[in-house]
Structures are given as structure tokens and as C-alpha cells.
Amino acid sequence: MNVDAVTIAVDDAHSVAGLLQRPDNAFACYVLAHGAGAGMTNRFMAAVAAGCARRGVATLRFQFPYMQSGSKRPDRPAVAHATIRAAVRTAATPGLPLFAGGKSYGGRMTSQAQAEAPLPAVLGLLFLGFPLHPANQPSDERAQHLTGVRVPMLFVQGTRDALADTRFLVPVIEAQGPAATLQLIENADHSFHVPARSGRTDAQVLDQVLDSMADWMRAISDRL
């Protein structure tokens, strides 16, 4: 399957690179933002995009400006939000339901952008390891903006995620009401890695993650 390089114009003076992967049978498109420590081409992001394609979901991956410039320091929220909005504009295709979100930092920046002002045409947000708090510092402060999100949300989280203690995460999801869905992945950490003693491989876990995502997107798309 072809993966097409695209250029995403953030504003008149700045642009970032993107990768559009669209299967012939696409029923939806997912704007997939990367995490804080690795860009759009890292193995996890590539595996998610390929797995989505096999399930009929197109993806648009993209670089945040700091990652494109080689910096290790994530962009200010305003810059990240503007980049996400530009990616959403680029991905919008008439007749193809649109979703957004991403891995860790990328997902949180997407939810912040949506809470600030709705992302045009986006029907729902999908989070792959929402970073509810710093590692091993449980709190729910990073979730306060979620009350401003007015589209359905899917949180796919590992039960061993050091950035999302389920004692805090579950009440956060429940507080959002029926618009928020939590898919817990047993024994998975923030990167969806599982120990050998779990009896499953990382590949099997990723298949579970991708199946959950595709089923959720199809259910929302079928309502249109």
C-alpha cells in the first residue's frame, strides 16, 4: 500500500511533513498525532497506520514542529493546537468520516484543541495511552479540559500505564458521561507492551487495540 508524503501548511510561514496512508476501501480517516518522544515514523506509529489501513481506516500522520526541527522539547500548546488544526484541514475528504487523536502527548494536545474550539468535521477523538499525569505521580489535573469536548471519545489504555493510574482514570472517564468510552488493555504499559507472563505478545495486543479503534469508528460512521 502506498504511503504518500504530504506537506501541511500550519500558517503562512510554517509547514510540517505528513504521511497519508489510505486504503482503497477506506470508511474513515484518523488524524494520528505522535507522542512527545518519537515522531511520526517511529515503529509504533507506523504499525498503527498499517494496522488501520488493513481495517479500512486511512491515517494522516504528521510531525509537530519541534520534532521536525530536531528539538527534544515539545511545542507550546498553542503551536501544537495550530498544527493539529492544519492536519485536520489537510485530511478532510468529502464523504469520508474524520476522527483525530493520537499517542500520549499527541492525543492530549488534540483533546485540548477540540475543547478550545471544535476541530472542523471531526466526529470523535481516539486516544492511545492518554497521559493523565506524569509517570508515577497520579492525579487528574490533565483531564480538566475534557469537559469542554463535545464529541465522542475513545480512551485505549493499558492497565499498567504509569501515566494513567486507573484509580484516577476510571472516574475521569465516568465523569464525561456516555460520550466517553474506556477500553482497558490488560497488563499493557504506556507503550502497549505486555510482559511474557501475560501469555500474549505485543503484536496480539496491538491487534486488540486496532480492532477496538476500527469498531468504534465504524459504529460512529454508521450513524451518519
Side-chain angles (χ1 to χ4, degrees):
M1 175 173 301
N2 291 334
V3 181
D4 296 323
V6 298
T7 298
I8 298 169
V10 178
D11 55 37
D12 291 341
H14 302 90
S15 63
V16 294
L19 293 171
L20 178 63
Q21 195 160 343
R22 179 173 178 173
D24 293 337
N25 63 338
F27 72 86
C29 182
Y30 178 37
V31 178
L32 174 58
H34 64 73
M40 67 178 180
T41 60
N42 83 82
R43 185 163 58 179
F44 178 82
M45 293 287 287
V48 169
C52 280
R54 291 193 297 271
R55 291 162 174 81
V57 177
T59 54
L60 176 62
R61 290 174 276 162
F62 61 95
Q63 299 284 60
F64 283 110
Y66 79 94
M67 186 63 66
Q68 179 144 325
S69 68
S71 173
K72 293 184 178 180
R73 183 174 182 176
D75 298 308
R76 293 178 294 106
V79 174
H81 299 170
T83 307
I84 291 164
R85 291 187 186 282
V88 166
R89 290 195 301 270
T90 301
T93 303
L96 193 64
L98 187 62
F99 298 86
K103 183 71 182 82
S104 195
Y105 165 85
R108 184 164 67 97
M109 290 299 103
T110 302
S111 62
Q112 288 181 358
Q114 175 69 28
E116 192 172 84
L119 297 166
V122 168
L123 300 180
L125 305 182
L126 296 89
F127 308 111
L128 298 171
F130 187 88
L132 186 62
H133 52 73
N136 302 312
Q137 299 178 39
S139 76
D140 60 5
E141 291 183 3
R142 289 182 175 177
Q144 293 178 0
H145 68 280
L146 294 175
T147 57
V149 174
R150 296 290 183 261
V151 295
M153 295 177 281
L154 174 65
F155 295 78
V156 185
Q157 303 281 159
T159 58
R160 294 192 306 113
D161 190 337
L163 280 69
D165 190 312
T166 54
R167 294 173 300 173
F168 288 80
L169 179 65
V170 171
V172 163
I173 304 302
E174 291 176 345
Q176 310 312 312
T181 301
L182 174 60
Q183 175 66 55
L184 288 174
I185 309 298
E186 289 296 326
N187 297 307
D189 63 13
H190 189 63
S191 298
F192 297 102
H193 167 70
V194 291
R197 66 177 181 276
S198 71
R200 294 198 295 167
T201 65
D202 288 356
Q204 290 171 326
V205 167
L206 184 58
D207 277 338
Q208 181 186 358
V209 169
L210 292 165
D211 286 343
S212 297
M213 294 168 58
D215 290 347
W216 186 82
M217 282 186 274
R218 188 176 290 280
I220 291 177
S221 299
D222 286 348
R223 298 174 195 166
L224 299 178

